[in-house]
Amino acid sequence: MNKMKVQLQVSWLRMKLAIWILIAAIAVSVIANFTINMALGSDPQQDAQDIAAAVGELRELTGNNDLSIEVPSEMENVNVSSANMLLILLPLLAIILPLKTFRPMMNFGDSRRRYFAGLLGVYAVSAIILALVNSLWWPFEQNVIRTYSQTYNLIEVFDWEQFGFIGAFLYQTVFYFFVLTLFNLLFSGLKSPISWILWTVLIAAIPIGTSIASLRVHVADFFLALLFNDSLVSAIGLNLGLSLVWIAGAWLFTRRRTF
């Protein structure tokens, strides 16, 4: 328990600066967007109507009734949800912690097995917290934030809201954990040739998969099953199953790791 507490403290110290910088950047972005929208008094739908009225006046002035400009029903400046911006922490956590906490914990006398279990615990708690924050933020964003600014949220983009509050929370949690374990795998064995092969395969997989017609369907099906799955149970199973594969690979690197 004492070593787990030390690992949490070390993890916080390594991540503290990145977390505060990210929170400050999000706060500045939110304040700037809110201030600009309030100062301009921007109403996307009204803006579109004003443009349509101006086109009508031009027709009268020019006598050309055929003059037309295609105007969207709403002209929107869409921003990323503030809660979604916190998800930048996912790759940051899974890059910084494997690289910056391994040696201090080994010097403290921790075993590789205990260190690795503690690292996964940090990832699991982080995934739960980020999923909970976004789930709680989502109703506030819908009812309050969108009065002043147009935003998009992953819950809406991937249609996770169809599963309700609990379902969306669970879907987010397992997907965020999937992302954390994938990055952890990639950064747990940077000096290993096998890791270099993994990096090469990952970088080449999507471009090759999307450029070859016979593979494109399978790539699309994979991402549909991963992110747009209509079955919550299937989505949880797929994300957790892949996470276990990444965890197994990361452990193979960690148990032989010396740096």
Side-chain angles (χ1 to χ4, degrees):
M1 182 61 69
N2 186 43
K3 291 182 178 179
M4 182 62 191
K5 182 179 179 181
V6 171
Q7 185 167 358
L8 289 174
Q9 292 174 339
V10 171
S11 299
W12 166 247
L13 289 174
R14 294 294 185 267
M15 290 299 305
K16 181 169 61 174
L17 180 60
I19 291 173
W20 284 120
I21 290 175
L22 179 59
I23 291 175
I26 293 173
V28 170
S29 175
V30 170
I31 293 171
N33 287 331
F34 178 80
T35 303
I36 292 171
N37 287 331
M38 291 299 291
L40 297 177
S42 178
D43 182 341
Q45 189 169 7
Q46 184 62 46
D47 291 343
Q49 293 173 355
D50 291 343
I51 293 176
V55 172
E57 293 178 1
L58 282 174
R59 289 197 189 109
E60 293 180 2
L61 290 172
T62 60
N64 181 5
N65 293 326
D66 295 329
L67 178 65
S68 65
I69 298 177
E70 186 174 346
V71 181
S73 59
E74 290 192 3
M75 298 173 61
E76 301 178 351
N77 180 26
V78 184
N79 302 306
V80 180
S81 169
S82 300
N84 285 175
M85 292 175 69
L86 284 173
L87 299 182
I88 296 174
L89 286 173
L90 293 175
L92 289 178
L93 279 165
I95 293 172
I96 294 174
L97 294 186
L99 296 179
K100 297 296 184 180
T101 63
F102 177 77
R103 187 177 295 277
M105 293 308 300
M106 295 301 102
N107 292 338
F108 184 71
D110 203 1
S111 67
R112 286 173 172 77
R113 186 180 298 275
R114 187 179 294 131
Y115 157 79
F116 191 71
L119 189 62
L120 294 179
V122 172
Y123 291 157
V125 171
S126 300
I128 291 171
I129 291 174
L130 290 171
L132 183 60
V133 167
N134 194 40
S135 297
L136 294 174
W137 178 264
W138 173 233
F140 177 75
E141 181 177 332
Q142 287 179 299
N143 298 320
V144 179
I145 299 297
R146 291 190 176 178
T147 304
Y148 306 98
S149 175
Q150 294 298 315
T151 62
Y152 65 85
N153 191 299
L154 292 185
I155 293 177
E156 183 178 32
V157 172
F158 297 131
D159 198 24
W160 294 338
E161 58 186 340
Q162 66 176 303
F163 303 115
F165 179 87
I166 300 298
F169 165 73
L170 291 174
Y171 206 134
Q172 288 178 89
T173 300
V174 295
F175 175 65
Y176 297 164
F177 189 67
F178 161 84
V179 173
L180 286 164
T181 53
L182 175 58
F183 275 91
N184 181 65
L185 167 65
L186 295 173
F187 286 89
S188 290
L190 285 180
K191 293 186 178 181
S192 169
I194 297 177
S195 180
W196 304 340
I197 295 173
L198 287 175
W199 273 97
T200 303
V201 169
L202 182 65
I203 292 172
I206 295 179
I208 292 176
T210 54
S211 62
I212 300 176
S214 59
L215 296 178
R216 194 178 303 139
V217 175
H218 300 293
V219 173
D221 288 342
F222 169 74
F223 282 105
L224 285 173
L226 189 70
L227 297 170
F228 296 90
N229 206 314
D230 291 328
S231 169
L232 181 60
V233 174
S234 175
I236 292 175
L238 177 60
N239 278 276
L240 288 181
L242 290 173
S243 296
L244 290 176
V245 174
W246 311 148
I247 289 170
W251 169 243
L252 293 177
F253 289 132
T254 302
R255 70 177 184 175
R256 295 181 172 85
R257 188 174 170 184
T258 59
F259 63 94

